[in-house]
């Protein structure tokens, strides 16, 4: 306690009671207050609603609907879906079509389209109004892969007389516009007119984008003039940008500039960088040099961190308007900046020189040290003929490696072939292996096999055979050749390193073969490397052999130099989840970037399981004996913080109710540590308040 108070004093906190001005649960007198408090604390809403009912209070259905909408609008779809399911399960009211539509949308958003389709089939037919069908239609309209289902749903809505508002038409239009199907879009417009349905902003923007894409300026202008003055119709900046592109293609520069000026007024702050790139490009295509420079100055002023994209766009645009002097100035600024080298920028300027007959300037630029050090762009063979004989063998090998590392495989192969043909130096087995690899990469497997046959037998060592085996291991079609090569390497005594075994594992993906390969490695005293360990773990995970997976992990997974890739960790997490080891799965997903959704889904599953266990425990014992699941909270919060989902971690923390005689300080400690790292003193101090309050009351 003394230590905690010292920390509090250090941060200037004299009274923990004044840290939060939010309403507390203890003082809340209405359901609205309790909901507000839960939202403020990022806590779960469902327990609040259930507790309110347990106290004998009624729940207003309209309040629940507002809660669902607030959660959905704040990107808390998981919670929103839970509340929606609870409202149905607890029979809070007779559900109306809007309730089913909201839940259908949430299921598709959280669980996926397949589950949403199943839920739709469970909705009573008399509750399937236009809002429900429109929600289903929107789900289908997000991808052209579900075009047939979207069209079938739209046809059903027509049969039921549900095409009386613009929403279903907009859903189909967005799909047809993506496919550039003008006939279908215009057919929808005629049907809207026949049904006395007025287009809204979404309709107008969709149609204008379509006409812009097919470059029909006349139809575009006619449609815009018809609806532009209608109250409530608002154009999007991406729409006016597309219209400007259409004018540029139609060589109507004046109209293009007018539309680009309108785009500048419509663009929002979040889209500035993308908008500036597009504006510079189109002003350049319209021949407006001053406008290009004006937007570039805005770019430098408003975009904090500049990158290659901006410089590439402005230089290209200035070359379009024939201002090579200004392009040179900006290039020199780019060259002085510590940005990652982008070969396209000097190449672009060199092309500008050549287009203007300034060939010497182009050659000087591309042969400058700044460019030459990063990438060799001249043809390689003439250079080799000129000074290749003067190079040391080590220099030639270094050249091949540099070309290979910069993905210039064709040039690397030319150097390797030149070395062999000119016999400028003695070749070793690693030289043959390097050429074999490059031949397969550039010319294909058949040519690589021909070259392998021409390699002297005394040069076909481990490196050459491993290169050949790696080609065969790329496809199951070559399994026979791979096994023959592997057998030959066994006969020659070349199976003394992990690489050949790892390559064979790429083809044999059954655990029984894995164990056979591992036995042979053990007999040859060959320890698995990172590649081998990852492949074995993935195979065990795919077959849900958790026990074997864990045993192998204990033996080799934590060895020196062994690194697990994210795909392996994700596969293991999936295996744990399938085996019912939810906490282990959550912990492993925490080490895989981009797996927030998996962690949340597994946590929901875990909590449902614990709720069922709680119910069973309550039946056996008198009174309520809370199950202690602190370790589960600690694991999920830790995983979410690793995934930088601080908001999600705070939500889970808001659900945590400490149980037992001692507080597990590691749970708030995780968030306190994060807040301290971020410099968030308010939340840091609030976390300490939780610990102090709990400790003093115990």
């Amino acid at each position: 306690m003394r230590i905690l108070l010292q920390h509090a004093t250090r941060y200037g906190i004299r009274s923990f009671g004044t840290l939060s001005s939010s309403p507390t649960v203890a003082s809340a007198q209405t359901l609205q207050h309790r909901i507000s408090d839960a939202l403020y604390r990022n806590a779960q809403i469902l327990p609040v609603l259930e507790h309110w009912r347990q106290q004998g209070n009624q729940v207003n259905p309209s309040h629940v609907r507002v809660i669902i909408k607030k959660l959905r609008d704040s990107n808390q779809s998981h919670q929103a879906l839970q509340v929606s399911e609870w409202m149905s399960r607890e029979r809070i009211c007779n559900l109306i079509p809007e309730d089913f539509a909201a839940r259908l949308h949430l299921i598709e958003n959280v669980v996926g389209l397949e589950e949403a389709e199943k839920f739709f089939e469970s909705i009573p037919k008399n509750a399937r109004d236009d809002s429900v069908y429109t929600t289903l239609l929107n789900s289908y309209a997000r991808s052209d892969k579900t075009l047939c289902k979207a069209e079938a749903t739209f046809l059903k809505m027509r049969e039921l007389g549900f095409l009386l508002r613009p929403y279903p038409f907009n859903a189909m239009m967005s799909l047809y516009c993506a496919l550039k199907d003008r006939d279908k879009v215009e057919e929808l417009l005629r049907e809207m007119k026949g049904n006395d349905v007025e287009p809204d902003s979404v309709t107008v923007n969709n149609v204008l984008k379509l006409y812009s894409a097919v470059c029909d300026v006349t139809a575009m202008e006619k449609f815009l003039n018809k609806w532009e003055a209608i109250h409530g119709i608002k154009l999007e900046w991406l729409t006016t940008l597309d219209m400007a592109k259409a004018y540029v293609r139609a060589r109507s520069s004046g109209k293009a500039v007018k539309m680009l000026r309108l785009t500048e007024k419509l663009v929002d702050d979040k889209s500035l960088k993308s908008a500036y790139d597009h504006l510079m490009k189109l002003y350049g295509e319209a021949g407006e040099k001053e406008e290009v420079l004006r937007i570039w100055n805005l770019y430098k002023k408003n975009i904090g961190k500049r990158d290659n994209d901006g410089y590439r766009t402005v230089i290209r645009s200035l070359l379009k308007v024939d201002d090579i002097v200004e392009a040179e100035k900006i290039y020199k600024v780019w060259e002085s900046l510590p940005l990652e080298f982008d070969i396209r920028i000097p190449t672009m300027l060199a092309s500008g020189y050549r287009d203007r007959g300034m060939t010497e300037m182009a050659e000087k630029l591309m042969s400058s040290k700044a460019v030459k050090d990063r990438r060799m762009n001249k043809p390689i063979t003439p250079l080799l003929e000129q000074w290749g004989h003067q190079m040391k063998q080590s220099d030639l090998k270094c050249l091949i490696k540099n070309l290979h590392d910069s993905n210039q495989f064709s040039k690397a192969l030319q150097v390797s072939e030149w070395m062999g043909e000119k016999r400028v130096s003695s070749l070793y087995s690693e030289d043959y292996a390097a050429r074999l690899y490059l031949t397969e990469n550039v010319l294909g497997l058949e040519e690589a096999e021909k070259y392998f046959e021409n390699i002297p037998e005394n040069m076909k060592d481990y490196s050459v055979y491993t290169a050949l085996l790696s080609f065969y291991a790329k496809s199951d079609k070559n399994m026979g050749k791979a096994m023959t090569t592997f057998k030959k390497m066994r006969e020659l005594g070349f199976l003394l390193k992990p690489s050949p075994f790892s390559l064979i594992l790429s083809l044999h993906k059954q655990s029984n073969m894995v164990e056979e390969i591992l036995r042979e490695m053990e007999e040859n005293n060959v320890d698995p490397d990172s590649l081998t360990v990852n492949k074995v773990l993935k195979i065990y995970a795919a077959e849900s052999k958790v026990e074997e997976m864990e045993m192998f992990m204990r033996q080799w997974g934590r060895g020196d130099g062994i690194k697990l890739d994210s795909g392996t960790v994700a596969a293991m997490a999936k295996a744990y989840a399938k085996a019912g080891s939810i906490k282990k799965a959550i912990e492993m997903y925490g080490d895989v970037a981009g797996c927030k959704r998996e962690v949340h889904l597994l946590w929901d599953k875990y909590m449902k399981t614990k709720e069922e266990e709680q119910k069973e425990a309550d039946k056996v014992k008198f009174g309520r004996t809370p199950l202690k699941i602190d370790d589960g909270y600690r694991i999920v919060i830790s995983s979410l913080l690793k995934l930088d989902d601080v908001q999600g971690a705070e939500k889970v923390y808001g659900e945590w109710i400490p149980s037992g005689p001692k507080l597990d300080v590691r749970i708030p400690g995780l968030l306190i540590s994060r807040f301290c790292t971020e410099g968030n003193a308010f939340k840091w101090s609030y976390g300490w308040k939780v610990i102090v309050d709990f400790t003093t009351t115990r």
Side-chain angles (χ1 to χ4, degrees):
M1 285 299 300
R2 282 198 305 273
I3 293 171
L4 294 179
L5 290 171
Q6 285 171 5
H7 277 289
T9 305
R10 178 185 170 193
Y11 275 78
I13 302 166
R14 298 184 180 278
S15 172
F16 282 110
T18 61
L19 287 171
S20 174
S21 59
S22 70
T24 65
V25 176
S27 63
Q29 298 299 318
T30 66
L31 178 59
Q32 290 91 330
H33 285 156
R34 298 188 186 191
I35 295 296
S36 297
D37 178 67
L39 289 171
Y40 177 84
R41 292 182 293 106
N42 290 322
Q44 287 287 327
I45 303 299
L46 211 53
V48 177
L49 293 168
E50 290 176 339
H51 187 253
W52 178 261
R53 292 192 75 213
Q54 288 170 4
Q55 291 179 328
N57 299 310
Q58 294 295 318
V59 176
N60 189 327
S62 61
H63 290 167
V64 181
R65 293 182 180 113
V66 170
I67 292 168
I68 293 171
K69 186 177 185 304
K70 281 185 177 181
L71 290 169
R72 187 180 66 185
D73 293 345
S74 60
N75 295 321
Q76 299 182 67
S77 297
H78 282 86
Q79 274 222 69
L81 179 57
Q82 289 173 0
V83 175
S84 177
E85 291 172 340
W86 175 84
M87 184 171 75
S88 173
R89 185 173 63 249
E90 299 297 324
R91 301 182 183 277
I92 300 300
C93 62
N94 292 325
L95 299 181
I96 60 177
E98 285 75 10
D99 297 324
F100 290 110
R103 187 168 167 191
L104 181 64
H105 170 78
L106 290 167
I107 290 173
E108 194 265 337
N109 189 32
V110 175
V111 188
L113 181 58
E114 188 176 344
E115 290 300 318
E117 289 175 318
K118 291 178 184 177
F119 176 71
F120 175 81
E121 293 300 325
S122 71
I123 299 173
K125 289 189 177 180
N126 61 352
R128 298 180 191 175
D129 72 350
D130 64 325
S131 66
V132 174
Y133 272 99
T134 301
T135 302
L136 181 65
L137 180 62
N138 282 326
S139 299
Y140 289 141
R142 290 192 182 99
S143 170
D144 57 7
K145 293 179 181 178
T146 48
L147 173 61
C148 292
K149 290 183 177 181
E151 290 178 331
T153 304
F154 189 77
L155 178 62
K156 184 67 176 179
M157 293 181 74
R158 181 186 290 139
E159 294 172 357
L160 295 170
F162 287 162
L163 301 181
L164 302 175
R165 294 192 290 177
Y167 310 123
F169 292 99
N170 290 339
M172 293 305 298
M173 276 186 192
S174 66
L175 192 51
Y176 289 135
C177 286
L179 298 170
K180 294 184 180 180
D181 193 334
R182 177 174 179 168
D183 293 339
K184 289 288 188 180
V185 171
E186 292 180 340
E187 185 181 318
L188 288 170
L189 286 172
R190 288 192 292 271
E191 186 170 0
M192 289 180 75
K193 185 176 181 180
N195 291 8
D196 292 326
V197 178
E198 292 289 312
D200 61 4
S201 293
V202 178
T203 317
V204 173
N205 279 278
N206 276 337
V207 176
L208 288 174
K209 285 178 181 177
L210 173 69
Y211 287 143
S212 301
V214 298
C215 207
D216 190 338
V217 171
T218 303
M220 181 179 78
E221 291 179 332
K222 183 178 178 181
F223 191 80
L224 178 63
N225 292 334
K226 182 177 181 180
W227 295 104
E228 188 178 24
I230 303 298
H231 178 71
I233 299 296
K234 294 182 179 180
L235 296 181
E236 300 169 0
W237 74 269
L238 286 170
T239 302
T240 55
L241 191 74
D242 284 346
M243 294 172 71
K245 289 179 187 176
Y247 280 130
V248 168
R249 293 192 200 102
R251 299 184 179 179
S252 298
S253 297
K255 291 182 178 180
V257 170
K258 182 180 177 182
M259 200 56 65
L260 289 172
R261 290 281 176 82
L262 177 58
T263 302
E264 291 183 52
K265 294 177 182 178
L266 296 175
V267 69
D268 55 89
D269 291 341
K270 294 180 180 178
S271 307
L272 274 181
K273 184 181 183 302
S274 175
Y276 286 153
D277 283 335
H278 287 298
L279 288 166
M280 282 190 287
K281 181 182 177 183
L282 288 172
Y283 274 129
E285 291 180 7
E288 299 291 324
K289 180 181 75 172
E290 296 303 323
E291 295 302 312
V292 171
L293 292 173
R294 180 177 66 82
I295 297 298
W296 176 239
N297 287 329
L298 288 173
Y299 186 105
K300 291 187 292 182
K301 177 182 177 182
N302 297 324
I303 305 300
K305 185 179 180 182
R306 281 176 269 170
D307 57 19
N308 287 327
D309 293 340
Y311 281 97
R312 195 167 59 247
T313 302
V314 70
I315 290 172
R316 182 193 296 116
S317 300
L318 288 170
L319 292 174
K320 280 277 185 184
V321 296
D322 201 25
D323 190 351
I324 198 161
V325 174
E326 198 65 41
E328 285 176 324
K329 290 179 182 177
I330 293 175
Y331 175 80
K332 288 177 182 176
V333 173
W334 170 79
E335 200 174 31
S336 67
L337 295 174
L339 295 175
E340 183 180 349
F341 183 75
D342 187 338
I343 187 63
R344 291 171 292 180
I345 295 177
T347 301
M348 187 188 302
L349 184 57
S351 297
Y353 285 136
R354 291 192 184 95
D355 291 342
R356 292 159 180 79
M358 304 163 70
T359 309
E360 289 184 8
M361 291 291 289
E363 292 295 327
K364 183 180 178 180
L365 173 64
M366 297 310 293
S367 61
S368 65
K369 191 174 187 304
V371 175
K372 196 173 181 180
D373 284 352
R374 292 173 171 86
R375 187 159 183 158
M376 186 178 293
N377 287 282
K378 292 183 178 181
I380 198 74
T381 305
L383 294 174
L384 288 171
E385 294 293 342
Q386 182 179 352
W387 44 259
H389 289 277
Q390 302 171 23
M391 293 180 69
K392 298 177 182 177
Q393 184 178 7
S394 58
D395 292 334
L396 286 167
K397 290 183 178 181
C398 185
L399 176 60
I400 292 172
K401 184 179 185 303
N402 288 337
L403 290 168
H404 172 274
D405 291 347
S406 60
N407 295 326
Q408 300 182 80
F409 301 111
S410 181
K411 290 179 181 177
L413 178 59
Q414 289 173 30
V415 177
S416 181
E417 289 173 340
W418 186 84
M419 280 178 63
E421 291 165 4
K422 300 298 180 180
R423 299 187 182 280
V424 293
S425 60
S426 300
L427 297 181
Y428 298 95
S429 58
E430 60 265 25
D431 299 317
Y432 288 102
R435 183 170 170 183
L436 181 63
Y437 173 85
L438 290 165
T439 301
E440 191 274 341
N441 193 289
V442 176
L443 304 176
L445 179 59
E446 188 175 342
E447 289 299 318
E449 288 176 319
K450 289 178 183 177
Y451 176 68
F452 175 80
E453 294 302 324
N454 291 325
I455 296 174
E457 287 298 320
N458 65 332
M459 289 293 168
K460 292 180 180 177
D461 70 349
Y462 166 83
S463 61
V464 172
Y465 271 97
T466 301
L468 184 64
L469 181 60
S470 69
F471 309 151
Y472 292 143
K474 290 179 181 179
S475 172
D476 293 341
K477 295 177 182 178
N478 297 314
M479 183 178 287
K481 291 181 178 180
M483 294 307 298
T484 300
T485 305
F486 188 75
K487 183 180 178 181
K488 182 68 175 178
M489 293 181 74
R490 183 188 288 130
E491 293 170 358
L492 294 170
F494 289 162
L495 301 182
L496 300 175
K497 296 181 181 180
S499 292
F501 297 99
S502 180
L503 291 168
I504 288 297
L505 281 171
S506 301
L507 294 171
H508 295 290
K509 298 176 182 177
Q510 291 79 32
S511 57
N512 59 332
M513 285 301 301
V514 168
E515 287 155 11
E516 187 176 322
I517 291 167
L518 289 175
R519 276 195 299 272
E520 185 168 359
M521 290 181 73
E522 186 177 0
E523 290 169 3
N524 291 7
N525 292 319
V526 178
D527 290 342
D529 59 359
S530 289
L531 196 59
T532 312
V533 169
N534 278 276
K535 287 183 178 178
V536 171
L537 288 173
K538 283 180 183 176
I539 293 170
Y540 282 140
E543 293 185 10
S544 298
K545 292 196 171 183
V546 173
E547 187 175 340
E548 290 85 344
M549 181 178 76
E550 289 182 330
M551 187 181 299
F552 186 80
M553 182 68 181
R554 282 194 297 271
Q555 185 177 4
W556 298 108
R558 296 181 176 86
D560 292 339
I562 300 296
K563 293 183 180 179
L564 300 186
D565 60 51
S566 58
T568 301
V569 179
M572 293 173 69
K574 190 175 180 181
Y576 277 127
K578 192 173 180 181
S581 300
I582 305 299
K583 288 190 292 186
K584 285 186 178 179
I586 291 173
E587 192 170 16
M588 297 213 75
Y589 272 130
D591 292 325
V592 184
C595 284
K596 285 193 299 187
R597 183 173 181 271
E598 286 81 357
V599 170
H600 282 293
L601 289 173
L602 285 172
W603 179 244
D604 289 344
K605 183 178 180 180
Y606 177 80
M607 289 305 293
K608 285 179 182 177
T609 303
K610 290 300 175 183
E611 287 171 7
E612 293 298 323
E613 291 178 5
Q614 182 69 67
K615 290 178 183 177
E616 292 300 319
D618 290 345
K619 290 178 183 178
V620 176
K621 298 180 180 180
F622 178 78
R624 183 174 177 80
T625 305
L627 293 171
K628 188 170 179 63
I629 55 172
D630 283 356
D631 57 337
Y633 280 101
R634 187 179 65 255
I635 289 168
V636 72
I637 290 172
S638 175
S639 294
L640 290 173
L641 290 176
K642 286 181 184 177
L643 296 168
D644 287 328
D645 186 6
V646 180
Q647 186 179 12
E650 287 183 271
K651 288 178 187 176
V652 174
Y653 177 74
E655 304 164 18
W656 174 57
I657 302 173
S659 60
K662 293 183 180 180
L663 172 71
D664 187 344
V665 294
R666 291 175 295 176
I667 295 175
L670 289 167
L671 282 168
I672 290 170
S673 177
R674 181 58 175 255
F675 296 147
C676 187
T677 302
E678 294 176 348
N680 193 330
F682 176 82
K683 289 190 175 181
W684 180 94
S685 58
Y686 187 77
W688 281 119
K689 174 185 179 297
V690 172
I691 297 176
V692 172
D693 287 350
F694 184 92
T695 307
T696 53
T697 56
R698 294 299 172 99

